[in-house]
Amino acid sequence: FLIASALNAVLGQRIARRLCPTCKEEYVPDEAVLADMKQVVGSLWPSEKPMVLYKGKGIVNGVACETCGGSGYVGRLGVFELYPITDAISELTLTRAPMSEIEKQAISEGMITMKQDGYLKALEAVTTIEEVLRVAQD
């Protein structure tokens, strides 16, 4: 009862590595990767964008990138999921519903999952698919 009445929202976060802007290069992903991304992102899929992803090469003009030290990443960024505690979610909490049921309700109310947020950031060339899967895999 106390948890259901005291919570306003639930926030989940992971820290992912940011793609190096100096040595990033574009590539066209496999069809299996595209299919998974489209399935996970669902209605949030940016249909007007061409399907190109990026990865950090770590090399510029044949030598290690000075910006990232050859790793392909520089800095960090957050990958989040946030959902407000609505009356429906509060009721599920009070009845001690399984987390899967609470998550399903939150998604039906518009919550963006951590993996969806990560995939959207990969589509924006901020990080890589591999990094998203490393930190936000279900």
Side-chain angles (χ1 to χ4, degrees):
F1 171 75
L2 291 175
I3 291 173
S5 63
L7 278 178
N8 291 324
V10 175
L11 172 71
Q13 70 177 14
R14 299 286 185 278
I15 304 299
R17 296 178 293 174
R18 184 179 294 273
L19 201 52
C20 178
T22 305
C23 68
K24 72 179 177 184
E25 66 178 5
E26 55 180 67
Y27 71 99
V28 178
D30 295 336
E31 283 299 318
V33 172
L34 279 176
D36 178 58
M37 289 179 71
K38 285 181 182 179
Q39 189 271 325
V40 169
V41 174
S43 64
L44 301 172
W45 187 259
S47 59
E48 73 280 350
K49 281 190 166 187
M51 191 60 248
V52 175
L53 295 176
Y54 291 83
K55 59 183 172 183
K57 190 172 183 181
I59 298 174
V60 177
N61 298 325
V63 296
C65 176
E66 291 183 21
T67 305
C68 65
S71 71
Y73 298 97
V74 61
R76 303 276 189 262
L77 72 133
V79 179
F80 305 98
E81 69 182 20
L82 171 74
Y83 59 95
I85 303 300
T86 62
D87 290 339
I89 292 174
S90 184
E91 183 64 34
L92 289 170
T93 305
L94 285 171
T95 60
R96 297 178 184 243
M99 187 59 209
S100 60
E101 196 174 323
I102 295 172
E103 182 179 35
K104 184 178 176 183
Q105 178 65 35
I107 290 170
S108 75
E109 294 178 2
M111 178 186 82
I112 296 174
T113 67
M114 201 174 297
K115 195 171 181 182
Q116 285 174 320
D117 184 46
Y119 277 176
L120 291 170
K121 288 176 177 167
L123 288 169
E124 294 170 359
V126 179
T127 191
T128 63
I129 292 297
E130 294 79 15
E131 188 65 7
V132 170
L133 293 174
R134 184 181 73 81
V135 300
Q137 187 67 290
D138 294 332

